[in-house]
Amino acid sequence: VFIDGLVYASADGKAIYIRKRLELIVEKPGCTEKFFGKKPTVIQRRNNYEIYELNLVKCTCERIVDRVVDIIDQGGEYLFYTVAEELAPGQVETEETKKELAKLAVMAINTTTHEKQLVLEENCHIQRICGNKIIYTLNSPNECNLDLHIFDIPTMSDTLIEKNVYKFLAESDGRIFYYVGNKSYAPLFSNNFEGTDRVEVMTNIERVVKVLAGWMYVVKGSSRNALLMKISTDGKQRFVICSQFQKAVKVTDTYIYYVTTGNDLRVVRTDGKENTLIAENIDLNNVQIDQNRIYYILILKNSDRYGIAIQCKTIASSKKDAGIFMDTLKAAGEDNSAKLVAEAFAKRGVKARYAGPK
């Protein structure tokens, strides 16, 4: 039944909320229309889902919203979703009704009481849900010139944070980050939820990679001149972590795994030290890292592709022994490089075999 479902869990873990697709409405042709080969017509509608609550304590399943466009997110004690106007039976679509039908209303349902309330009527872009607050933008007049707002649900108050916003970026530790300006010049700003503490963090950056633990990881410059920088959220502390940065694979509070502009896979500490090569000439779109393994696809000069798994015996914490972690990565890289060289020689008709260190 819920194979097309989108699942959210309640804050207390006692319930699950599932988006279920409604059945299609099919208008079957009449006898005369069948004679002339007319096929059944699917009636298009905008509210294609309904929301069910699975109560894990009472072991019950109940539909709590019957017509929605989509679920946006969950925050605090609310589940947020969008609804759209539909044409009434027999109503003909006109230019006026088309404008009305294009609007989406943002609704909130209290997951405890199931009480529904209208939050926003304007055709806005929801950027982030932070507890009982909604960060959203409005085209003013287009998608490159936005008004950035914060709506507080308990007080039903709306605060305009900034005009002429080019792009919303992130929220962290009670502050929001965004570009002001345009594509050619878009300095990075931050502000609090009240809009009273506007700070210019940095000018002319390419993009924000991650906001984590009071720090922002941003890219300055492009192509081979791209630098990955770490800056404090107030912009006062900043330093370069690495150069020739192309793509982040994983960012933690201790290490950053990334791909260079030359398609090398590397790992570096978040203070810029111990920058270590893991593999050369990889496919940057096929790198996965879990707790103790790195999976990537290595591209040879003849374009043959091999899936390689580097197994790390131990990933030590930075506080206890960061050296063990780096030595493990280096050893794992050398071991798999030896395997790869042996395979490459064998494929080209040269007798070769891999001899393990044991």
Side-chain angles (χ1 to χ4, degrees), residues 275-318:
N275 195 321
T276 304
L277 175 68
I278 298 175
E280 296 179 332
N281 200 28
I282 68 161
D283 182 348
L284 66 91
N285 295 315
N286 285 288
V287 184
Q288 295 292 331
I289 298 178
D290 64 15
Q291 293 182 353
N292 59 357
R293 289 179 176 82
I294 305 174
Y295 302 93
Y296 60 90
I297 292 179
L298 192 68
I299 304 176
L300 298 180
K301 290 182 179 180
N302 63 356
S303 297
D304 289 338
R305 308 174 83 193
Y306 294 87
I308 304 297
I310 297 179
Q311 297 185 352
C312 299
K313 295 180 181 178
T314 305
I315 295 183
S317 67
S318 58

Side-chain angles (χ1 to χ4, degrees), residues 132-149:
N132 294 330
K133 298 181 185 293
I134 301 176
I135 302 173
Y136 73 96
T137 54
L138 289 170
N139 292 357
S140 180
N142 54 52
E143 60 185 10
C144 294
N145 296 91
L146 306 170
D147 289 347
L148 179 63
H149 293 251

